[in-house]
Amino acid sequence: MTDRLCRGLVPSTGLRAVFVRVGDTARMARMLHGLYPTSAHLFAEALAAGALLGALQKEKGRVNLQVECDGPIGGIFVDADPDGQLRGYVRRPAVHFPGDQARGARAALGGSGFLSVLRDPGGGQYYRSAVQLEALDLAADLRRWFAASEQVASALDLAVLARDGEPLADVAGLLVQPLPGGDAAALEAARARLAGGALPRALAAGASAQEVIRAVAGDGFDLLANVEVAYRCGCSPERARAAVSALGADGVAEVLANEREAVVTCEFCRSRFVVTEPELADIRRRLEERDRAG
Ligand SMILES: [Zn+2]
């Protein structure tokens, strides 16, 4: 089962549905960031949520899902786009509450915080909207975000399924929304099915993406897109040098005088970039020229 993002419509009821499956991505991210079980569980949910949000963006758009909280995990960040590219990090990777994982996830989030979504439709203009964490449950608080920010009724659930000792065996998210003029009763029915546990039940039964969507959104689903989801990062040596430039001429001079090279680690993919002494000298020279000109 590879990670996929499936989008489509149920024309008879005017509903649209997005289903994402991100188990491989979540297990890969767990290894990459060295996540303990509770951090890994929350990050898996956040990756599913980010993939759903990414699927709603227009071509070339991006979306960031950010959770800030006072619990031990501190915060979660996911960056996603409509082509199924995901990356992110949790603030504190080493959080583990033994026992029930849903309860552990709630404890890791703590008592208060907020969930915010930053959208860049592609034109360099950003839109942010946020809600306070109330349920301290990612799916429930994301439902509240949709209700507050999108002003369109939504049915949504996230699920992380353990199997054969693998806590992240299946990780998925499903979102159902009405198109303009869509059937409100059909949406309400989808919402009731999700509230009744339809998503984890379908996953446990080994359902395919389209079977999961049919089980929640009803028969007659037309698939419009089916794309691969993967953990991908756009970092590069150029971006590492840009990050060093942000220190300013004095900051770069200080690095040159002390460490003589800068090591930049990407927080998304843990790639290490070394900015060498000649490169630092070149960056300092250009920053000084700019300062003199400015
Ligand atoms: Zn990276």
Side-chain angles (χ1 to χ4, degrees):
M1 245 186 292
T2 50
D3 286 358
R4 311 294 299 184
L5 182 165
C6 298
R7 284 188 289 109
L9 307 171
V10 184
S12 60
T13 51
L15 299 181
R16 70 164 168 175
V18 184
F19 174 76
V20 297
R21 183 166 250 151
V22 298
D24 289 340
T25 308
R27 290 189 296 273
M28 207 285 272
R30 173 179 62 193
M31 217 154 60
L32 185 68
H33 291 291
L35 302 179
Y36 285 33
T38 307
S39 291
H41 181 94
L42 269 169
F43 196 49
E45 285 187 331
L47 286 168
L52 286 178
L53 289 165
L56 301 179
Q57 308 311 307
K58 298 208 172 66
E59 210 186 330
K60 304 222 186 313
R62 291 204 79 80
V63 64
N64 293 340
L65 168 68
Q66 191 178 2
V67 173
E68 291 288 334
C69 59
D70 63 0
I73 198 160
I76 309 168
F77 187 91
V78 175
D79 178 47
D81 73 10
D83 302 322
Q85 300 200 29
L86 282 175
R87 59 179 191 163
Y89 55 85
V90 301
R91 187 144 306 147
R92 301 204 193 89
V95 180
H96 178 41
F97 288 96
D100 180 65
Q101 276 309 292
R103 202 167 52 224
R106 200 161 290 139
L109 288 171
S112 68
F114 65 87
L115 179 157
S116 81
V117 176
L118 181 73
R119 275 167 293 178
D120 170 12
Q125 213 174 359
Y126 294 88
Y127 301 91
R128 183 188 288 279
S129 49
V131 292
Q132 301 274 341
L133 294 179
E134 267 177 24
L136 280 314
D137 169 77
L138 274 191
D141 283 315
L142 191 61
R143 277 194 286 273
R144 291 184 42 259
W145 177 85
F146 269 102
S149 310
E150 295 282 275
Q151 282 142 11
V152 48
S154 307
L156 177 148
D157 201 14
L158 308 171
V160 178
L161 238 80
R163 193 181 292 132
D164 302 330
E166 167 50 72
L168 307 182
D170 208 351
V171 180
L174 178 64
L175 173 71
V176 183
Q177 290 182 319
L179 297 165
D183 185 345
L187 181 80
E188 206 39 59
R191 210 199 299 249
R193 289 184 197 112
L194 286 178
L199 179 61
R201 206 162 44 239
L203 296 180
S208 69
Q210 298 206 46
E211 286 166 347
V212 174
I213 295 171
R214 275 201 293 276
V216 174
D219 285 330
F221 174 74
D222 287 347
L223 184 70
L224 296 180
N226 179 356
V227 301
E228 190 186 334
V229 175
Y231 197 97
R232 277 194 210 106
C233 191
C235 64
S236 63
E238 290 73 35
R239 294 214 180 163
R241 286 196 287 272
V244 171
S245 302
L247 296 172
D250 291 348
V252 175
E254 209 176 294
V255 176
L256 267 170
N258 298 312
E259 294 89 3
R260 309 232 306 262
E261 64 174 24
V263 179
V264 179
T265 303
C266 175
E267 57 194 344
F268 292 107
C269 70
R270 315 306 303 166
S271 292
R272 278 172 90 256
F273 299 97
V274 177
V275 185
T276 61
E277 194 168 3
E279 286 173 322
L280 285 172
D282 186 51
I283 291 168
R284 182 180 62 176
R285 186 178 49 73
R286 276 186 282 130
L287 288 171
E288 285 169 350
E289 276 168 15
R290 191 195 63 189
D291 291 347
R292 275 197 295 275

